[in-house]
Amino acid sequence: LSGPFVAGNDAGRAYNTWPKMNYDWVPPEWLEAVNDPQGKMRHFFEETGVVQFNHRCLAYTSVLGSLALAGYGISQPLSSGAAAAVRFLPIAVSAQMCLGIATLLLYVPVELGVAHQAGGLFVLTALATVLHTLRLPPAGALLGAAAMAETAAAGSGGTAAAAAAAATGAAAGA
């Protein structure tokens, strides 16, 4: 959510270099704000260099975090939908960062600025998809699935009467 601060301050029109911000890795405005956080708290939301540096740091950490999630997800037994969503997230986040860099280097043409904002919604949608596919089913669904599995196991014993008895016994025990 740092994009609105960048757009509101026209921060994309300053420091149009990458990876450094002009000649510095960390802009002097950010160092001033960090050295006096009580007196310069507003700088984190209103100072062009600080806002843009924070936006860049968010981009870098988002790419690293999504790559870490994808790396961890590969090692887990996920459903095919969840695995695809987890693998797709770093692609979406990296594309968004590259689009942001291009927008910055070209001095924020309106078309790229709008595309970068739309890319933010795309990344948010990709993240919501990951969270949706990784959610646990409701507890009732788990209990229902367990009862159905138990009934099926009892039914494979041979007779419908055995399956009914197993289902009745499961209901009586609950």
Side-chain angles (χ1 to χ4, degrees), residues 73 77-89 129-130 132-135:
L78 299 175
S79 68
S80 61
V86 166
R87 285 192 310 265
F88 180 72
L89 183 63
T129 302
V130 168
H132 177 73
T133 58
L134 291 177
R135 77 190 189 293

Side-chain angles (χ1 to χ4, degrees), residues 87-157:
R87 285 192 310 265
F88 180 72
L89 183 63
I91 295 168
V93 174
S94 298
Q96 172 69 352
M97 187 179 84
C98 291
L99 182 58
I101 292 168
T103 302
L104 179 72
L105 294 176
L106 295 173
Y107 294 92
V108 194
V110 172
E111 298 83 5
L112 281 180
V114 170
H116 187 57
Q117 289 181 343
L121 292 175
F122 186 66
V123 167
L124 182 63
T125 302
L127 180 58
T129 302
V130 168
L131 294 174
H132 177 73
T133 58
L134 291 177
R135 77 190 189 293
L136 289 174
L142 291 175
L143 293 175
M148 287 187 340
E150 187 175 302
T151 302
S156 66

Side-chain angles (χ1 to χ4, degrees), residues 37-99:
Q38 294 297 327
K40 307 216 186 250
M41 182 57 71
R42 292 179 63 171
H43 286 225
F44 288 100
F45 306 101
E46 297 176 356
E47 179 67 40
T48 300
V50 177
V51 167
Q52 191 183 119
F53 182 73
N54 290 341
H55 193 68
R56 289 181 183 203
C57 288
L58 177 65
Y60 301 144
T61 56
S62 295
V63 169
L64 291 174
S66 65
L67 285 170
L69 177 65
Y72 181 71
I74 289 171
S75 69
Q76 299 301 307
L78 299 175
S79 68
S80 61
V86 166
R87 285 192 310 265
F88 180 72
L89 183 63
I91 295 168
V93 174
S94 298
Q96 172 69 352
M97 187 179 84
C98 291
L99 182 58

